[in-house]
């Protein structure tokens, strides 16, 4: 638990592994429900505060955002930022996308831009935080360092994000009690980071019997107040720490205690540590890194790093370990301890490398996949079936209800005993007719179901808006392209006993059809061909066969707005996640990932694709 003041920003995780902030108004709404506790019901309807988010509900028990019309789940989190940063001042930085609307930057990016703006810098280079852009404050433009393309940016004022003062919980679970700092102490956390920190604190307070190598000269002796830690663990040893002296700061400002993402901290920056308890002499000590020689610093850093790695703590790269940076590996290790004290999961390590592709493979090494016919498949635009009106299509899935119950139609929100409240283009069906879906049993105005069908893909299928049960065969709007698949003689991390299935998607740019968002307008296709990977295991082949069905039904891709770049009218993934990293998992789209195959099977099932679908395709 941390005692501090902070602004709370609620964020959701997009398909590219980036946390995107909700607006201040939405964050205030979510925070109000959180503070209301379990009596509020445990869920947040986002459409109550922003009509554009009408399909979305947040389940606070599982910390997931649920989209009602597609069944998509995305993680959410409650993050804390310094009150003096951009969200604490109501400052929002945005960039202009291709359709002329404005998209907010990720919160950490916006904070970085605002900091440079307040320092009156003429520009800020975002390369250091992973973006190849320069923001020019004179022209208020964003410049792509690689393509030199420019976009407008703007700084606007909005509501200040909700503020909390007192005890900040490290766990982002529900219900959250924003109680005051004087609330009764809670049991100590048992996570590896906290165990490590509390052990260090205990050693600082109580001392130990493992001295440093004695020295004859006084200048090598530790100054008063510095407690010596026991030697590194050997066989049968109980201690986890190296033979070094360390002191803890006697006080840290609350603003330094804000829990931020560890990756946002500059290399070599020490996070604040809670005030240390008094030592045996009644005084609190201070970190005196200058009193530790380089050898002892390095030994402490290495041992601390090994402890964290062995404990399974997520690693955050500390760069320039051997470069010209004034921060050497030893100081970075100390930083790790202090950041852990602030609740940040850090571990000293070298920056891992992104491995997108396997080693080169010759044509003779590429093999077909046993049990899967052919090695490629093309799709073209499929025409909707002619001769059936929406009423004729829905008739197959509905049973008329002569005496409807006195409850709401969840499409128009009018009572089922009253006529439909749908106000759009009027179907030919009478507005007072009511029908029940045959499989799931949910009841709606037939008028509303026809209107919903007309607003969709009109492919002969229907999806229940309440439980997502699919009637018929659901198809999508994927543009024409090619899907190739074959075996390569390399193994994926986490799957050492099998080869790898490589999938290559190729979709060219073109013109949008009548089923797309902007018929007649051109669309782009960035990043093709896209290479994806599956293990050549029994379950991996099962996933491949279902992906082939999804491809034939045009459900892998769609045309829309990229959540990564903000570009509109471009080819995007369509809610079926793929692994595009071969030998790493830095972006969350690689291996090892023990749950991936099960997760993608669930995503395919949400699109109406299961093992039964392969038999339907053969028929």
């Amino acid at each position: 638990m941390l005692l501090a003041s902070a602004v709370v920003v609620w964020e959701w995780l997009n398909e590219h592994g980036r946390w995107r902030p909700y607006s201040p108004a939405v964050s205030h709404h979510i925070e109000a429900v959180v503070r209301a506790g379990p009596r509020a019901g445990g869920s947040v309807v986002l459409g109550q505060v922003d009509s554009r988010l009408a399909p979305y509900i947040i389940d606070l028990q599982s910390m997931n955002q649920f989209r009602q019309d597609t069944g998509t789940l995305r993680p959410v989190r409650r993050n804390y930022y310094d009150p003096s940063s951009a969200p604490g001042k109501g400052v929002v930085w945005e960039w202009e996308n291709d359709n002329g609307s404005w998209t907010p930057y990720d919160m950490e990016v916006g904070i970085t831009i605002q900091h440079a703006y307040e320092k009156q810098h003429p520009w800020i280079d975002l390369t250091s935080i992973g973006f190849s852009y320069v923001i020019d404050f004179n022209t208020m433009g964003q410049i792509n360092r690689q393509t030199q393309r420019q976009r407008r940016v703007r700084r606007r004022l909005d509501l200040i994000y909700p503020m909390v003062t007192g005890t900040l919980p490290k766990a982002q679970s529900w219900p959250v009690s924003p109680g005051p700092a004087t609330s009764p102490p809670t049991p100590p956390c048992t996570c590896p980071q906290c165990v490590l920190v509390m052990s260090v604190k205990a050693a600082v307070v109580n001392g130990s019997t493992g001295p440093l190598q004695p020295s004859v000269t006084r200048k090598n002796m530790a100054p008063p107040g510095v407690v010596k830690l026991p030697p590194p663990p050997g066989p049968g040893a109980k201690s986890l720490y190296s033979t070094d002296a360390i002191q803890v700061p006697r006080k840290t400002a609350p603003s330094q205690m804000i829990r931020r993402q560890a990756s946002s901290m500059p290399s070599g920056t020490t996070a604040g540590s809670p005030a240390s308890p008094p030592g045996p002499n009644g005084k609190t000590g201070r970190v005196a890194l200058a009193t530790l020689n380089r050898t002892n610093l390095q030994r402490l850093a290495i041992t601390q790093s090994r402890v964290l790695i062995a404990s399974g703590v997520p690693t955050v790269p500390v760069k320039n370990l051997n470069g010209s940076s004034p921060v050497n590996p030893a100081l970075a290790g100390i930083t790790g301890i202090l950041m852990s004290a602030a609740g940040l999961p850090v571990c000293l390590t070298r920056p891992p490398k992104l491995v997108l592709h396997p080693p080169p493979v010759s044509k003779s090494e590429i093999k077909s996949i046993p049990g899967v016919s052919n090695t490629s498949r093309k799709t073209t635009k499929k025409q909707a079936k002619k001769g059936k009106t929406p009423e004729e299509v829905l008739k197959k899935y509905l049973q008329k209800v002569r005496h409807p119950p006195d409850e709401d139609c969840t499409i128009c929100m009018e009572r089922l005993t009253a006529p439909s409240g749908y106000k759009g283009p009027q179907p030919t069906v009478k507005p007072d007719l009511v029908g029940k879906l045959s499989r799931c049993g949910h009841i709606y105005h037939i008028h509303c179901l026809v209107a919903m069908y007309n607003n969709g893909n009109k492919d002969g299928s229907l999806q229940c808006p309440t439980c997502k049960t699919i009637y018929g065969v659901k198809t999508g709007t994927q543009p024409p392209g090619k899907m190739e698949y074959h075996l390569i003689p390399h193994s994926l991390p986490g799957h050492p006993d099998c080869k790898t299935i490589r999938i290559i998607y190729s979709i060219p740019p073109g013109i949008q059809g009548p089923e797309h968002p902007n018929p007649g307008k051109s669309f782009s296709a960035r990043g093709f061909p896209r290479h994806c990977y599956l293990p050549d295991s029994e379950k991996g082949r099962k996933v491949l066969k279902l992906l082939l069905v999804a491809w034939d039904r045009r459900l892998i891709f769609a045309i829309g707005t990229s959540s990564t770049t903000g570009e509109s009218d471009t080819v995007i993934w369509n809610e079926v996640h793929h692994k595009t990293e071969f030998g790493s998992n830095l972006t969350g789209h690689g291996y090892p990932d023990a749950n991936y195959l099960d997760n993608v099977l669930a995503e395919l099932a949400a699109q109406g694709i299961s093992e039964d679908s392969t038999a339907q395709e053969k028929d």
Side-chain angles (χ1 to χ4, degrees):
M1 307 292 284
L2 304 177
L3 301 181
S5 296
V7 286
V8 176
V9 178
W10 282 83
E11 300 169 323
W12 57 277
L13 186 68
N14 70 13
E15 64 269 30
H16 300 285
R18 300 203 60 80
W19 288 99
R20 301 287 296 141
Y22 291 103
S23 69
V26 173
S27 287
H28 274 280
H29 179 57
I30 301 172
E31 196 67 12
V33 176
V34 169
R35 292 176 179 177
R39 69 177 183 274
S43 62
V44 187
V45 181
L46 301 187
Q48 292 178 351
V49 67
D50 188 338
S51 60
R52 296 170 298 178
L53 302 180
Y56 298 99
I57 293 176
I58 289 179
D59 175 38
L60 293 172
Q61 294 287 353
S62 63
M63 291 295 279
N64 279 308
Q65 170 192 278
F66 174 66
R67 179 165 177 163
Q68 300 178 77
D69 55 349
T70 65
T72 303
L73 286 174
R74 296 190 185 280
V76 300
R77 71 179 183 183
R78 184 179 190 240
N79 212 6
Y80 305 102
Y81 294 93
D82 194 314
S84 65
S85 63
K89 299 177 179 178
V91 175
V92 179
W93 283 90
E94 300 174 320
W95 56 274
E96 187 179 32
N97 59 35
D98 289 341
N99 60 14
S101 59
W102 293 90
T103 303
Y105 285 96
D106 292 356
M107 189 55 66
E108 293 291 347
V109 178
I111 289 173
T112 301
I113 297 174
Q114 175 64 16
H115 181 72
Y117 180 84
E118 291 175 349
K119 296 290 185 181
Q120 297 185 342
H121 295 167
W123 51 269
I124 174 70
D125 188 342
L126 301 180
T127 305
S128 61
I129 57 174
F131 296 92
S132 185
Y133 297 106
V134 172
I135 306 298
D136 187 335
F137 295 120
N138 294 322
T139 62
M140 290 300 283
Q142 169 190 281
I143 305 167
N144 188 312
R145 290 172 58 89
Q146 296 176 344
T147 65
Q148 297 303 307
R149 182 178 182 181
Q150 297 190 26
R151 295 180 183 272
R152 290 196 300 163
V153 301
R154 73 176 183 182
R155 175 184 181 271
R156 67 176 180 85
L157 294 179
D158 203 328
L159 291 174
I160 296 175
Y161 277 90
M163 180 79 70
V164 292
T165 302
T167 302
L168 303 185
K170 292 196 301 180
Q172 298 169 355
S173 58
W174 184 87
V176 175
S177 174
T182 57
S183 58
T186 58
C189 180
T190 58
C191 72
Q193 301 99 296
C194 293
V195 170
L196 171 68
V197 172
M198 295 308 296
S199 300
V200 172
K201 287 181 180 178
V204 170
V205 175
N206 301 322
S208 70
T209 58
L212 290 166
Q213 293 295 328
S215 174
V216 197
T217 57
R218 182 176 180 84
K219 65 179 181 180
N220 289 332
M221 296 177 62
V226 178
V227 180
K228 302 167 184 178
L229 299 181
K238 296 182 179 179
S239 175
L240 298 177
Y241 309 103
S242 63
T243 308
D244 284 293
I246 182 172
Q247 293 174 313
V248 180
R250 69 179 61 155
K251 189 174 182 181
T252 302
S255 63
Q256 293 176 294
M257 302 288 290
I258 306 293
R259 182 183 182 185
R260 302 191 183 106
Q261 298 181 45
S263 58
S264 69
M265 297 197 65
S267 174
T269 302
T270 54
S273 170
S276 62
N281 58 2
K283 298 180 180 180
T284 53
R286 292 185 64 85
V287 171
L289 294 178
T291 66
L292 304 181
N293 61 43
R294 182 178 179 84
T295 303
N296 287 333
L297 277 169
Q298 289 177 331
R299 288 166 61 191
L300 176 59
I302 292 169
T303 304
Q304 182 262 345
S305 301
R306 288 173 179 168
V307 170
L308 287 175
I309 292 172
S311 303
V313 179
T315 62
V316 174
V318 180
K319 300 181 180 179
N320 299 325
L321 294 187
N322 298 316
S324 58
S325 168
V327 180
N328 57 33
L331 182 54
I334 299 296
T335 301
I337 293 179
L338 298 180
M339 290 175 70
S340 295
L344 299 172
V346 296
C347 177
L348 182 64
T349 181
R350 296 188 185 280
K353 292 182 179 179
L354 181 69
V355 182
L356 289 177
H357 303 294
V361 179
S362 65
K363 287 185 178 180
S364 62
E365 294 177 305
I366 295 176
K367 306 294 182 182
S368 59
I369 303 167
V372 180
S373 60
N374 304 317
T375 57
S376 66
R377 195 167 295 190
K378 292 183 178 180
T379 57
T380 56
K381 293 182 180 179
K382 290 185 178 180
Q383 300 298 322
K385 295 179 180 179
K386 303 292 182 181
K388 287 192 175 182
T389 65
E391 292 80 1
E392 291 173 327
V393 171
L394 297 183
K395 187 177 180 180
K396 299 185 298 181
Y397 311 134
L398 287 174
Q399 301 170 357
K400 285 188 178 180
V401 178
R402 296 182 180 275
H403 304 288
D406 187 21
E407 57 187 43
D408 286 345
C409 167
T410 56
I411 298 177
C412 69
M413 302 310 295
E414 295 290 343
R415 306 300 283 181
L416 290 169
T417 52
S420 167
Y422 177 71
K423 303 300 182 183
Q426 297 296 306
T428 58
V429 181
K430 294 180 180 179
D432 58 348
L433 291 180
V434 175
K436 179 173 74 172
L437 291 171
S438 57
R439 285 166 51 198
C440 64
H442 289 110
I443 303 175
Y444 307 94
H445 291 116
I446 298 178
H447 190 90
C448 294
L449 287 173
V450 171
M452 185 180 75
Y453 180 84
N454 284 331
N455 289 330
N457 201 26
K458 292 183 279 192
D459 57 0
S461 72
L462 180 72
Q463 188 166 16
C464 174
T466 299
C467 66
K468 310 307 174 191
T469 299
I470 296 174
Y471 295 81
V473 177
K474 180 181 178 180
T475 61
T477 60
Q478 174 180 292
K482 183 179 181 181
M483 176 183 180
E484 301 174 76
Y485 41 95
H486 49 248
L487 283 181
I488 57 175
H490 300 292
S491 298
L492 292 165
H495 300 274
D497 300 327
C498 58
K499 297 179 181 179
T500 297
I501 299 171
R502 179 167 62 185
I503 304 171
I504 303 176
Y505 293 111
S506 300
I507 294 180
I511 304 297
Q512 298 182 52
E515 73 274 30
H516 293 135
N518 296 297
K521 187 177 179 180
S522 62
F523 68 86
S524 61
R526 312 290 185 193
F528 289 94
R530 299 187 184 182
H531 292 228
C532 308
Y533 304 95
L534 292 169
D536 183 33
S537 60
E538 181 180 353
K539 188 176 286 188
R541 293 184 189 181
K542 176 182 176 180
V543 169
L544 173 64
K545 292 176 182 178
L546 297 184
L547 287 176
L548 288 170
V549 175
W551 175 263
D552 290 338
R553 295 184 184 178
R554 304 173 67 196
L555 291 168
I556 301 291
F557 296 97
I559 294 177
T561 299
S562 169
S563 59
T564 306
T565 66
E567 181 181 10
S568 57
D569 299 303
T570 190
V571 179
I572 58 175
W573 293 106
N574 187 37
E575 308 296 349
V576 179
H577 287 80
H578 286 63
K579 293 295 189 181
T580 53
E581 285 184 68
F582 176 82
S584 58
N585 195 16
L586 300 187
T587 65
H589 302 300
Y591 294 92
D593 185 342
N595 299 319
Y596 169 66
L597 296 178
D598 291 326
N599 290 342
V600 76
L601 286 173
E603 290 173 344
L604 288 164
Q607 301 285 351
I609 299 174
S610 61
E611 289 186 87
D612 297 336
S613 304
T614 56
Q616 292 177 10
E617 293 296 307
K618 291 178 181 178
D619 297 339

